[in-house]
Amino acid sequence: MESYLFVLLYVIISSLGMVLIKKGGLSTEVSIDIGKVSFSVSWTFIIGVILYALSFLLWILILQLFPLTYISPVAYGLVFISVAILSYFIQNIKITREQLLGAVIIVLGILIASKKN
């Protein structure tokens, strides 16, 4: 059971990291002048990068706990759904019918793939 808590934490941290990188990246500026490079990044972007890096470290642990052919589609599917939900609440991005249908198909796929023989 503890292993699945790592997966849940991974999904939340990874999804939140991606959404914050996207949101913070909108205000990130990079300029290159002759012999001079300058950039400014928002705290939202920095926090997103830190969360996403932490999720990568957690992913390495998760790969040691589960078979790759099982956990990869499960985790990526849950991240897809979580990103859509967080984007709706954090960035006011609308969720389309196609995305809802895709989420239902993902959940069904996870249930089918998780079924023991």
Side-chain angles (χ1 to χ4, degrees):
M1 185 63 173
E2 182 179 291
S3 301
Y4 287 100
L5 291 176
F6 288 137
V7 175
L8 178 63
L9 186 60
Y10 166 78
V11 168
I12 293 168
I13 291 174
S14 178
S15 303
L16 187 57
M18 281 190 264
V19 171
L20 292 178
I21 288 169
K22 171 66 175 172
K23 183 175 178 141
L26 297 174
S27 61
T28 297
E29 296 179 17
V30 177
S31 64
I32 302 173
D33 293 328
I34 298 174
K36 183 179 179 186
V37 176
S38 65
F39 62 95
S40 67
V41 294
S42 69
W43 281 105
T44 304
F45 182 82
I46 293 169
I47 292 169
V49 169
I50 291 169
L51 288 174
Y52 198 66
L54 288 173
S55 77
F56 176 75
L57 295 174
L58 192 54
W59 181 245
I60 293 169
L61 172 66
I62 290 168
L63 289 178
Q64 296 171 6
L65 299 173
F66 294 95
L68 181 60
T69 55
Y70 165 74
I71 199 60
S72 184
V74 169
Y76 295 152
L78 292 174
V79 167
F80 174 84
I81 294 169
S82 181
V83 164
I85 293 168
L86 289 173
S87 293
Y88 175 80
F89 287 108
I90 294 174
Q91 293 188 281
N92 296 320
I93 294 176
K94 302 294 181 211
I95 298 175
T96 66
R97 277 187 237 146
E98 293 81 7
Q99 289 170 321
L100 285 174
L101 178 61
V104 169
I105 292 169
I106 288 169
V107 170
L108 289 173
I110 290 170
L111 292 173
I112 291 168
S114 299
K115 186 172 170 66
K116 302 277 184 194
N117 291 334

